[in-house]
Amino acid sequence: MRMGFFVACGLVTLAVGWKMFHRGDSGSEAASKSPTVSRSTSRAELDATIESDRQKVSKNPGDGAAAVQLADALMRAARVKGDASLAIEAEHVLRGTLQHSSSDYLARRMLSVVYLSQHRFAEALTEAKAAQKLRPRDAWNYAIAGDALLELGRYEEAFDSFDQVMEHRPDAGAYARVAYARELQGDLDGALRLMQMSSEATSRQDVEGLAWTHAQIGNLYLQQGRLDDAEREFNHADFIFPSHPYAMNGRVRLLIARHRYADALDLSRRVPTTPESLAMQGDLLTRLGHLDDAENVYREAEQVEREGWKQEQPQPGALARFLAERGRNIPEAIALAERAASERQDVVTMDALAWSYFRGGRLSDAASAIQRATRLGTVDPRIRCHASAIALSQREAVVPDGVTCDLLNPQG
């Protein structure tokens, strides 16, 4: 999956899990219970499931159970392999099932996750709200709605939705989503506790999900400066699911935190190619003094991001942030960031807008935007560094060109 530049969390690709689905019309709402994993989610099993369920769905597009299981496997494979076409296939599979049975609740519910993975947050919210009406006791739907609302920057509504999640049988995915909400508010200890609860609630057979969860825990430890704890979590994730890209990216950031830039560059070249991984390589090459190589990699990163817009939802805010942070085409960065902010006002988009304005010398606009980016109390070092630089420029009349944030180790 084309991850886009520096996507904050990755929750949008956290799928339903390998559930034994119970269908029926009773009031027990069995489908809202936590997932029961029926098979391993190793690379080999993911590939086998995709092959098997593709055949089932091809023979019977109305087979909702096979369609949902196939969509889940495709979503996981998309994030493991960095292949956006698999998420698109998941959408087509679910739409095909719903054409045969528009009342298939589990297929419709899974479709909302696919929309999240494609950054189609308004559509994901619409599907989740519709599913809430069908199954008001299913915590899943409130978690998906909360996720979409977070990405749209509608935080009060998102937090209300997550309160509903915790009142209804929260599962591993629900805990992870609420953890991200805590992280956005600067409560890293609370986020860690919830991510650990997510790990405990994940089936031991769900090795892909476990690896993802341990990588997220490692990232939280990194933010706290607990490097040894972060290393332990990344190693655990790699042991459970070798070469999981989220764990590998975490280890790249860990090496950077330890100032082992050459080792970080070597490892970054082994992760799936995404705009983010390429941007990181460019930053490392710059730090190591290979400026011509860095420029070539930056150009490739920008090209991959733009080409991805042909098959996935454009992410103008992500590209704006990439350009602004590296001083590349600031007028376009401002235009892209303004376009993004017209659709969503989450903290990352507002940070991209603020830094684009700042690099363009629009200090008053930058100050207004960064206030929106920091309104929840985030401790994200990049956002805090941008906030400090903007405040310094306003307070001491320092020109933007004289203030920078370290791309590899920003200090807020």
Side-chain angles (χ1 to χ4, degrees), residues 141-198:
N141 299 316
Y142 298 96
I144 298 303
D147 237 12
L149 288 163
L150 279 183
E151 297 295 343
L152 291 168
R154 294 162 58 179
Y155 290 115
E156 291 302 320
E157 294 174 78
F159 298 150
D160 288 344
S161 191
F162 286 131
D163 285 343
Q164 292 289 318
V165 171
M166 301 309 286
E167 293 177 8
H168 298 85
R169 289 184 179 273
D171 61 9
Y175 286 130
R177 286 175 161 86
V178 179
Y180 182 43
R182 295 285 178 84
E183 181 184 350
L184 285 172
Q185 294 171 291
D187 182 8
L188 297 186
D189 288 337
L192 265 171
R193 286 193 296 271
L194 284 160
M195 283 306 305
Q196 288 160 349
M197 292 169 69
S198 178

Coordinates of all heavy atoms in Angstrom, one line a residue, residues 141-198:
N141 N -18.3 -0.6 14.9 CA -18.8 0.6 14.1 C -18.5 1.9 14.8 O -18.2 2.9 14.1 CB -20.3 0.4 13.9 CG -20.7 -0.8 13.2 OD1 -20.1 -1.2 12.2 ND2 -21.7 -1.5 13.7
Y142 N -18.5 2.0 16.1 CA -18.1 3.2 16.8 C -16.6 3.4 16.6 O -16.1 4.6 16.6 CB -18.5 3.1 18.2 CG -20.0 3.0 18.4 CD1 -20.6 1.8 18.6 CD2 -20.8 4.1 18.3 CE1 -22.0 1.6 18.7 CE2 -22.2 4.0 18.5 CZ -22.8 2.7 18.7 OH -24.1 2.6 18.8
A143 N -15.8 2.4 16.6 CA -14.4 2.5 16.4 C -14.0 3.0 15.1 O -13.2 3.9 14.9 CB -13.7 1.1 16.7
I144 N -14.7 2.5 14.0 CA -14.4 2.9 12.7 C -14.9 4.4 12.5 O -14.2 5.2 11.9 CB -15.2 2.0 11.7 CG1 -14.7 0.6 11.8 CG2 -15.0 2.5 10.2 CD1 -13.2 0.4 11.5
A145 N -16.0 4.7 13.0 CA -16.5 6.1 13.0 C -15.5 7.0 13.7 O -15.2 8.1 13.2 CB -17.9 6.2 13.6
G146 N -15.0 6.6 14.8 CA -14.0 7.4 15.6 C -12.8 7.6 14.8 O -12.2 8.7 14.8
D147 N -12.3 6.5 14.1 CA -11.1 6.6 13.3 C -11.3 7.7 12.2 O -10.4 8.5 11.9 CB -10.9 5.3 12.6 CG -9.5 4.7 13.0 OD1 -8.8 5.3 13.9 OD2 -9.1 3.7 12.3
A148 N -12.4 7.6 11.5 CA -12.7 8.5 10.4 C -12.8 9.9 10.9 O -12.2 10.9 10.3 CB -14.0 8.1 9.7
L149 N -13.4 10.1 12.0 CA -13.6 11.4 12.6 C -12.2 12.0 13.0 O -12.0 13.2 12.9 CB -14.6 11.4 13.8 CG -16.0 11.2 13.4 CD1 -16.8 10.8 14.6 CD2 -16.6 12.5 12.8
L150 N -11.4 11.2 13.6 CA -10.0 11.6 13.9 C -9.3 12.1 12.7 O -8.7 13.2 12.7 CB -9.2 10.5 14.5 CG -9.4 10.1 16.0 CD1 -8.4 9.0 16.3 CD2 -9.2 11.3 16.9
E151 N -9.4 11.4 11.6 CA -8.6 11.8 10.4 C -9.2 13.0 9.8 O -8.5 13.8 9.1 CB -8.6 10.6 9.4 CG -7.9 9.4 9.9 CD -6.4 9.6 10.1 OE1 -5.9 10.6 9.5 OE2 -5.8 8.8 10.8
L152 N -10.5 13.3 10.0 CA -11.1 14.5 9.5 C -10.9 15.7 10.4 O -11.2 16.8 10.1 CB -12.6 14.3 9.3 CG -13.0 13.3 8.2 CD1 -14.5 12.9 8.3 CD2 -12.7 13.9 6.8
G153 N -10.3 15.4 11.6 CA -10.1 16.5 12.5 C -11.3 16.9 13.4 O -11.3 17.9 14.0
R154 N -12.3 16.1 13.4 CA -13.5 16.3 14.2 C -13.4 15.6 15.5 O -14.0 14.6 15.8 CB -14.8 15.9 13.4 CG -15.0 16.7 12.1 CD -15.9 16.0 11.1 NE -17.2 15.7 11.6 CZ -18.2 15.1 10.9 NH1 -18.0 14.9 9.6 NH2 -19.3 14.8 11.4
Y155 N -12.5 16.2 16.4 CA -12.0 15.4 17.5 C -13.1 15.2 18.6 O -13.1 14.1 19.2 CB -10.8 16.1 18.1 CG -9.6 16.0 17.1 CD1 -9.0 17.1 16.5 CD2 -9.1 14.7 16.8 CE1 -8.0 17.0 15.7 CE2 -8.0 14.6 16.0 CZ -7.5 15.7 15.4 OH -6.4 15.6 14.5
E156 N -13.9 16.2 18.9 CA -14.9 16.0 20.0 C -15.8 14.9 19.6 O -16.1 14.0 20.4 CB -15.6 17.3 20.2 CG -14.8 18.4 20.8 CD -14.2 18.0 22.2 OE1 -14.9 17.3 22.9 OE2 -13.1 18.3 22.4
E157 N -16.3 14.8 18.3 CA -17.1 13.7 17.9 C -16.4 12.4 17.9 O -16.9 11.4 18.3 CB -17.6 14.0 16.5 CG -18.5 15.2 16.3 CD -18.8 15.5 14.9 OE1 -19.6 14.8 14.3 OE2 -18.2 16.4 14.3
A158 N -15.1 12.4 17.6 CA -14.3 11.2 17.6 C -14.2 10.7 19.0 O -14.3 9.4 19.3 CB -12.9 11.5 17.0
F159 N -13.9 11.5 20.0 CA -13.7 11.1 21.3 C -15.0 10.5 21.9 O -15.1 9.6 22.7 CB -13.2 12.2 22.2 CG -11.8 12.7 21.8 CD1 -11.5 14.0 22.0 CD2 -10.9 11.9 21.2 CE1 -10.2 14.5 21.6 CE2 -9.7 12.3 20.7 CZ -9.3 13.6 21.0
D160 N -16.1 11.2 21.5 CA -17.5 10.7 21.9 C -17.7 9.3 21.4 O -18.2 8.4 22.1 CB -18.6 11.6 21.5 CG -18.6 12.9 22.2 OD1 -18.0 13.0 23.3 OD2 -19.3 13.9 21.8
S161 N -17.3 9.1 20.1 CA -17.4 7.8 19.5 C -16.6 6.7 20.2 O -17.0 5.6 20.4 CB -17.1 7.8 18.0 OG -17.4 6.7 17.3
F162 N -15.4 7.1 20.6 CA -14.5 6.1 21.3 C -15.0 5.8 22.7 O -14.8 4.7 23.2 CB -13.1 6.7 21.4 CG -12.3 6.6 20.0 CD1 -11.7 7.7 19.5 CD2 -12.3 5.4 19.3 CE1 -11.0 7.6 18.3 CE2 -11.7 5.3 18.1 CZ -11.0 6.4 17.6
D163 N -15.7 6.8 23.3 CA -16.4 6.5 24.6 C -17.4 5.4 24.4 O -17.6 4.5 25.3 CB -17.1 7.7 25.1 CG -16.1 8.7 25.7 OD1 -14.9 8.3 26.0 OD2 -16.4 9.9 25.9
Q164 N -18.1 5.4 23.3 CA -19.1 4.4 23.0 C -18.4 3.0 22.8 O -18.9 2.0 23.2 CB -19.9 4.8 21.7 CG -20.8 5.9 21.8 CD -22.0 5.6 22.7 OE1 -22.6 4.5 22.6 NE2 -22.4 6.5 23.6
V165 N -17.2 3.1 22.1 CA -16.4 1.8 21.9 C -16.2 1.2 23.3 O -16.4 -0.1 23.4 CB -15.1 2.1 21.2 CG1 -14.2 0.9 21.2 CG2 -15.3 2.6 19.8
M166 N -15.7 1.9 24.3 CA -15.3 1.3 25.5 C -16.5 0.8 26.3 O -16.4 0.1 27.3 CB -14.5 2.3 26.3 CG -13.2 2.8 25.6 SD -12.2 1.5 25.0 CE -11.5 0.9 26.6
E167 N -17.7 1.3 25.9 CA -18.9 0.8 26.6 C -19.5 -0.5 26.0 O -20.4 -1.1 26.5 CB -20.0 1.9 26.6 CG -19.7 3.1 27.4 CD -20.7 4.2 27.2 OE1 -21.8 3.9 26.6 OE2 -20.5 5.3 27.7
H168 N -18.9 -0.9 24.8 CA -19.4 -2.1 24.1 C -18.3 -3.0 23.9 O -17.5 -2.8 23.0 CB -20.0 -1.7 22.8 CG -21.2 -0.8 22.8 ND1 -21.1 0.6 22.9 CD2 -22.5 -1.1 22.9 CE1 -22.3 1.1 22.9 NE2 -23.2 0.1 22.9
R169 N -18.1 -4.0 24.6 CA -17.1 -5.1 24.3 C -15.9 -4.7 23.4 O -15.8 -5.2 22.2 CB -17.9 -6.3 23.5 CG -18.8 -7.0 24.4 CD -19.4 -8.2 23.6 NE -20.3 -9.0 24.4 CZ -19.9 -10.0 25.1 NH1 -18.6 -10.4 25.2 NH2 -20.8 -10.8 25.8
P170 N -15.0 -3.9 23.9 CA -13.9 -3.5 23.0 C -13.0 -4.7 22.7 O -12.8 -5.6 23.6 CB -13.2 -2.5 23.9 CG -13.6 -2.7 25.3 CD -15.0 -3.2 25.2
D171 N -12.5 -4.7 21.5 CA -11.6 -5.8 21.1 C -10.2 -5.2 20.9 O -9.9 -4.0 21.1 CB -12.1 -6.6 19.9 CG -12.3 -5.7 18.7 OD1 -11.8 -4.6 18.7 OD2 -12.8 -6.2 17.7
A172 N -9.3 -6.0 20.3 CA -7.9 -5.5 20.1 C -7.9 -4.3 19.2 O -7.1 -3.3 19.5 CB -7.1 -6.7 19.4
G173 N -8.6 -4.3 18.1 CA -8.6 -3.1 17.2 C -9.2 -1.9 17.9 O -8.7 -0.8 17.7
A174 N -10.2 -2.1 18.7 CA -10.8 -0.9 19.4 C -9.8 -0.3 20.4 O -9.7 0.9 20.5 CB -12.1 -1.4 20.1
Y175 N -9.1 -1.2 21.1 CA -8.1 -0.7 22.1 C -7.1 0.1 21.3 O -6.6 1.2 21.8 CB -7.5 -1.8 22.8 CG -8.3 -2.4 23.9 CD1 -8.5 -3.8 24.0 CD2 -8.9 -1.7 24.9 CE1 -9.2 -4.4 24.9 CE2 -9.7 -2.3 25.9 CZ -9.9 -3.6 25.9 OH -10.6 -4.2 26.9
A176 N -6.6 -0.4 20.2 CA -5.6 0.3 19.4 C -6.1 1.7 18.9 O -5.3 2.7 18.9 CB -5.2 -0.5 18.2
R177 N -7.3 1.8 18.5 CA -7.8 3.0 18.0 C -7.9 4.1 19.1 O -7.6 5.2 19.0 CB -9.2 2.8 17.4 CG -9.0 2.1 16.0 CD -10.4 1.8 15.4 NE -10.2 1.6 14.0 CZ -9.8 0.4 13.4 NH1 -9.6 -0.6 14.2 NH2 -9.7 0.3 12.1
V178 N -8.4 3.6 20.3 CA -8.5 4.5 21.4 C -7.1 5.0 21.9 O -6.9 6.1 22.3 CB -9.3 3.9 22.6 CG1 -9.3 4.9 23.8 CG2 -10.7 3.6 22.2
A179 N -6.1 4.1 21.7 CA -4.7 4.4 22.1 C -4.2 5.5 21.2 O -3.5 6.4 21.7 CB -3.8 3.2 21.9
Y180 N -4.6 5.5 19.9 CA -4.1 6.6 19.0 C -4.7 7.9 19.4 O -4.1 9.0 19.4 CB -4.5 6.2 17.6 CG -4.0 7.3 16.6 CD1 -2.8 7.8 16.7 CD2 -4.9 7.7 15.6 CE1 -2.4 8.8 15.7 CE2 -4.5 8.6 14.6 CZ -3.2 9.2 14.7 OH -2.8 10.1 13.8
A181 N -6.0 7.9 19.9 CA -6.6 9.1 20.4 C -5.9 9.7 21.6 O -5.7 10.9 21.7 CB -8.1 8.8 20.7
R182 N -5.5 8.8 22.5 CA -4.7 9.2 23.6 C -3.4 9.8 23.2 O -2.9 10.8 23.7 CB -4.5 8.1 24.6 CG -5.7 7.5 25.2 CD -6.2 8.4 26.3 NE -7.5 7.9 26.9 CZ -7.5 7.0 27.9 NH1 -6.4 6.5 28.4 NH2 -8.7 6.6 28.3
E183 N -2.7 9.2 22.2 CA -1.4 9.7 21.7 C -1.6 11.1 21.1 O -0.7 12.0 21.4 CB -0.9 8.7 20.6 CG 0.4 9.1 20.0 CD 0.9 8.2 18.9 OE1 0.3 7.2 18.7 OE2 1.9 8.6 18.3
L184 N -2.7 11.3 20.4 CA -2.9 12.6 19.8 C -3.0 13.7 20.9 O -2.7 14.9 20.7 CB -4.2 12.6 18.9 CG -4.0 11.9 17.6 CD1 -5.4 11.8 16.9 CD2 -3.1 12.7 16.7
Q185 N -3.5 13.3 22.1 CA -3.7 14.2 23.2 C -2.4 14.4 24.0 O -2.5 15.0 25.1 CB -4.9 13.8 24.0 CG -6.2 13.9 23.3 CD -7.3 13.2 24.0 OE1 -7.4 12.0 24.2 NE2 -8.3 14.0 24.5
G186 N -1.4 13.7 23.6 CA -0.1 13.8 24.4 C 0.0 12.8 25.5 O 0.9 12.9 26.3
D187 N -1.0 12.0 25.7 CA -1.0 11.0 26.8 C -0.3 9.7 26.4 O -1.0 8.7 26.0 CB -2.4 10.7 27.3 CG -2.5 9.8 28.5 OD1 -1.4 9.4 29.0 OD2 -3.6 9.3 28.8
L188 N 1.0 9.7 26.3 CA 1.7 8.5 25.8 C 1.6 7.3 26.8 O 1.6 6.2 26.3 CB 3.2 8.9 25.6 CG 3.5 9.9 24.5 CD1 5.0 10.1 24.3 CD2 2.8 9.6 23.2
D189 N 1.6 7.6 28.1 CA 1.4 6.5 29.0 C 0.1 5.8 28.9 O 0.0 4.6 28.9 CB 1.6 7.0 30.5 CG 3.0 7.4 30.8 OD1 3.9 6.9 30.2 OD2 3.2 8.2 31.8
G190 N -0.9 6.6 28.7 CA -2.3 6.0 28.5 C -2.3 5.3 27.2 O -2.9 4.2 27.1
A191 N -1.7 5.8 26.1 CA -1.6 5.1 24.8 C -0.9 3.8 25.0 O -1.4 2.8 24.4 CB -1.0 6.0 23.8
L192 N 0.2 3.8 25.7 CA 0.9 2.5 25.9 C 0.1 1.5 26.6 O 0.1 0.3 26.2 CB 2.2 2.8 26.7 CG 3.5 3.1 25.9 CD1 4.6 3.5 26.9 CD2 3.9 1.8 25.2
R193 N -0.6 1.9 27.6 CA -1.5 0.9 28.4 C -2.5 0.3 27.4 O -2.7 -0.9 27.5 CB -2.1 1.6 29.5 CG -1.2 1.9 30.7 CD -2.0 2.3 32.0 NE -2.7 3.5 31.8 CZ -2.2 4.7 32.1 NH1 -1.0 4.8 32.5 NH2 -3.0 5.8 31.9
L194 N -3.1 1.1 26.6 CA -4.2 0.6 25.7 C -3.6 -0.2 24.6 O -4.2 -1.3 24.2 CB -4.9 1.8 25.1 CG -5.9 2.5 26.1 CD1 -6.3 3.9 25.6 CD2 -7.2 1.6 26.2
M195 N -2.4 0.1 24.1 CA -1.8 -0.7 23.1 C -1.4 -2.1 23.7 O -1.4 -3.1 23.0 CB -0.6 0.0 22.4 CG -0.9 1.1 21.4 SD -2.0 0.5 20.1 CE -1.1 -0.9 19.4
Q196 N -0.9 -2.1 24.9 CA -0.6 -3.3 25.6 C -1.9 -4.2 25.8 O -1.8 -5.4 25.6 CB 0.1 -3.1 26.9 CG 1.5 -2.6 26.7 CD 2.1 -1.9 27.9 OE1 1.4 -1.5 28.8 NE2 3.4 -1.6 27.8
M197 N -3.0 -3.5 26.1 CA -4.3 -4.2 26.2 C -4.7 -4.8 24.8 O -5.2 -5.9 24.7 CB -5.3 -3.3 26.7 CG -5.1 -2.9 28.2 SD -6.2 -1.5 28.7 CE -7.8 -2.3 28.7
S198 N -4.3 -4.0 23.8 CA -4.6 -4.5 22.4 C -3.8 -5.8 22.1 O -4.3 -6.7 21.5 CB -4.3 -3.4 21.4 OG -4.5 -3.9 20.1

